[in-house]
Amino acid sequence: MSRPSETVPLIHELVDGTIGKEDFARLQEILLRDPAARKDYYALLCTDQMLVDTYEMPEHLAAHAKVVTVPTVKRRKIGKLLLALAAVLVAGFFTAFVIHSNTPRVTMTATADSHFLIDGKEATSKFWKKGEVLEVHDGVLLVRLNPSAEASIDGSASLRLLNNDGDLELRRGRIFFHTAADSPGFEVKVAGATVRHVGTDFGIRALDDGSCDVHVLGGSVEITRPGEDKLVLSTGESASWRDGGPTRRAAAERTAFRQLPPVEQVIFDDDFSEPAGTVLAGKQPDIGKPWKVVEQQGIMTTGDGQLDTSGGFRHLGAIFADPPAGEGREVLVATFTTTPPAVMGDKKTRRSGIERITLIDANGKRLCSVVALARENHCWRLRDDIAGRESSLTRLSALETHDLTLRYDPSAGRITLHAGTNAQGETLAELDTEAKVMPTSLELWNDYGGDFALSRLTVRHVRYP
């Protein structure tokens, strides 16, 4: 239990409005666990309010004297009632403070190809809360620290949010800050130093070996390191150091950080909402070029919210719209929703069945695939078609309803398969890939009794300028 001498000064600071952020957090913790401290809190707050009333209403003392003349029993009842009322009001007042201090105000927006974790788990909320560790594996994450400060985090990176005011601990990675001149202050703890913005655009890069560099592209920042004078960097300047080593100044590198988010565009999308029985060959998707049918057994039709390959072998092509012109790293993100096909009776007996979804380049060459085999209970796995490598088997079946997302990053030499409608979902499988070009179409292929159905297919192109 906390001694009154530790708590009372903090309560006084809270009452008069001078309590600091760290002291408020400490007082909050004490009051939540210590009944004696809460009693002191209620008593001091009630005393403070009585003094305010006396100052603002001199007749209050006379009124109080009349209360004193009533019989003891009544006086006690009135005192208990006032104390109970004060306790309720104080509890509500303090609860408001607690709620406010714990309200997450730091929000995140991810690019289509992003994959990141919060405390080791796939994040399902747009909020980043104090104490949580953020790990960005792929893509770019835009973090709104406050209404006038935004951070662009380029994977891979690891950070911890120190509080809801936007103070950060950068453990590894590259981050660029854009802040207005009147933006509330925030600090970045990195490599044994504290970096504080003074209304500026600046980037910080931290490596696993403990080295760090700060580049100022506008305004200024203050850097504080143990044993050194405070260093102020202005526009066009940079500083670098290794934890424990001297600080070195140099010119800022403007191209060292990603200052703008990548350009995203949907290059194919189809929800198969046409009337049932619509012929697939030549059908115009919602976005993209007309469907191509290379091979089919019988006439392939679609509509009523589904493309179903049941009824024979199929070799179908979803042709992408041309991506926006430009240079830079490119990533493709393909999302598809599977549903049970119409023909299910033969799926246990025909063990040669196969279902495949493949990315194809402009020359018709297979780059990578998501493949399901009947002998493996129609569960999906990834395949690098250039090198012939395959991932381990996933638990999700092509014959069931699932949202799946395929992320293809030839610059990084990596392909991943995720559960859900974007690359942020659980990573089901991943492979290194030797493919180096971007696909221009997606092939749907089934044979030997293998069938699958889709209710939606969406492909996004992401370009990093």
Side-chain angles (χ1 to χ4, degrees):
M1 306 294 279
S2 176
R3 298 192 311 273
S5 59
E6 298 177 15
T7 309
V8 171
L10 295 178
I11 297 174
H12 280 298
E13 291 179 6
L14 177 64
V15 170
D16 63 25
T18 62
I19 193 168
K21 183 168 53 179
E22 293 182 359
D23 285 340
F24 176 77
R26 186 155 62 95
L27 176 60
Q28 172 186 322
E29 182 180 357
I30 293 171
L31 293 177
L32 287 175
R33 72 168 189 266
D34 189 351
R38 290 197 294 273
K39 184 176 179 181
D40 290 337
Y41 176 81
Y42 298 150
L44 284 172
L45 201 64
C46 290
T47 301
D48 178 77
Q49 185 59 49
M50 185 179 69
L51 291 173
V52 170
D53 292 342
T54 301
Y55 177 80
E56 294 179 348
M57 299 179 294
E59 67 273 18
H60 175 78
L61 286 176
H64 180 70
K66 291 181 180 179
V67 173
V68 173
T69 63
V70 301
T72 303
V73 175
K74 292 185 178 180
R75 187 167 63 246
R76 287 177 180 172
K77 288 183 178 180
I78 293 173
K80 290 181 179 179
L81 178 62
L82 290 175
L83 183 59
L85 179 60
V88 171
L89 292 174
V90 169
F93 178 73
F94 180 69
T95 300
F97 262 103
V98 172
I99 292 173
H100 176 74
S101 67
N102 285 291
T103 299
R105 296 187 293 275
V106 178
T107 59
M108 306 176 294
T109 303
T111 56
D113 61 322
S114 293
H115 185 73
F116 59 96
L117 305 178
I118 295 284
D119 286 346
K121 299 178 181 179
E122 278 80 9
T124 58
S125 169
K126 68 176 182 178
F127 293 110
W128 185 15
K129 301 176 183 178
K130 65 179 180 180
E132 292 181 335
V133 174
L134 169 65
E135 297 176 62
V136 182
H137 290 180
D138 295 302
V140 171
L141 204 61
L142 301 179
V143 176
R144 178 66 64 179
L145 299 173
N146 59 58
S148 53
E150 186 175 71
S152 176
I153 305 172
D154 206 354
S156 77
S158 176
L159 310 92
R160 185 166 69 96
L161 184 64
L162 300 178
N163 51 53
N164 288 329
D165 293 324
D167 293 345
L168 305 172
E169 177 193 356
L170 176 58
R171 300 175 174 182
R172 181 191 73 256
R174 185 171 53 177
I175 182 169
F176 185 80
F177 299 89
H178 176 72
T179 65
D182 60 349
S183 172
F186 64 87
E187 297 177 343
V188 182
K189 308 290 185 182
V190 57
T194 299
V195 180
R196 181 178 178 274
H197 90 91
V198 191
T200 183
D201 294 343
F202 68 103
I204 305 178
R205 181 169 46 192
L207 302 179
D208 289 328
D209 63 2
S211 61
C212 174
D213 50 296
V214 179
H215 301 253
V216 180
L217 305 187
S220 61
V221 300
E222 297 175 351
I223 301 176
T224 304
R225 298 188 64 206
E228 294 189 6
D229 294 335
K230 181 181 294 183
L231 174 64
V232 178
L233 294 181
S234 300
T235 302
E237 296 181 323
S238 75
S240 62
W241 67 92
R242 190 166 183 170
D243 201 357
T247 302
R248 295 180 172 83
R249 302 181 69 150
E253 299 176 27
R254 290 194 168 271
T255 59
F257 300 91
R258 194 174 308 286
Q259 302 177 39
L260 296 174
V263 178
E264 301 180 11
Q265 180 172 318
V266 177
I267 55 176
F268 191 90
D269 186 55
D270 203 339
D271 62 2
F272 315 108
S273 58
E274 296 82 9
T278 299
V279 175
L280 183 67
K283 184 187 88 69
Q284 181 65 44
D286 299 313
I287 297 175
K289 299 178 182 180
W291 279 89
K292 181 179 180 181
V293 176
V294 179
E295 291 182 288
Q296 61 181 336
Q297 184 176 351
I299 302 299
M300 180 67 199
T301 62
T302 185
D304 199 20
Q306 192 176 64
L307 182 154
D308 191 338
T309 64
S310 297
F313 61 83
R314 315 287 184 189
H315 180 180
L316 316 172
I319 316 300
F320 306 154
D322 296 328
E327 297 181 352
R329 173 184 163 205
E330 297 175 282
V331 180
L332 197 83
V333 181
T335 299
F336 49 96
T337 302
T338 62
T339 60
V343 177
M344 292 285 287
D346 61 349
K347 296 301 176 282
K348 292 184 178 181
T349 58
R350 303 187 67 174
R351 305 307 293 168
S352 298
I354 180 172
E355 299 90 13
R356 177 165 53 81
I357 299 175
T358 304
L359 296 179
I360 307 291
D361 71 8
N363 298 317
K365 188 175 183 179
R366 296 175 182 171
L367 301 175
C368 67
S369 302
V370 185
V371 182
L373 303 176
R375 65 175 181 268
E376 295 177 333
N377 295 319
H378 298 272
C379 289
W380 295 110
R381 70 166 74 236
L382 274 179
R383 176 179 173 83
D384 173 20
D385 290 301
I386 300 298
R389 290 190 296 266
E390 292 185 338
S391 74
S392 57
L393 199 64
T394 74
R395 66 180 187 277
L396 302 187
S397 169
L399 307 181
E400 300 171 349
T401 299
H402 295 293
D403 291 315
L404 294 167
T405 296
L406 172 64
R407 185 183 187 275
Y408 170 77
D409 187 350
S411 296
R414 190 161 168 262
I415 51 177
T416 55
L417 182 65
H418 303 270
T421 57
N422 52 52
Q424 176 52 24
E426 176 192 357
T427 302
L428 301 171
E430 54 187 324
L431 272 180
D432 292 335
T433 180
E434 296 184 10
K436 299 301 178 185
V437 299
M438 289 300 289
T440 59
S441 65
L442 183 146
E443 177 184 83
L444 305 178
W445 192 89
N446 70 297
D447 206 349
Y448 309 113
D451 296 306
F452 62 96
L454 301 181
S455 62
R456 182 146 202 160
L457 173 62
T458 303
V459 181
R460 295 176 175 86
H461 178 273
V462 181
R463 184 188 298 280
Y464 288 81

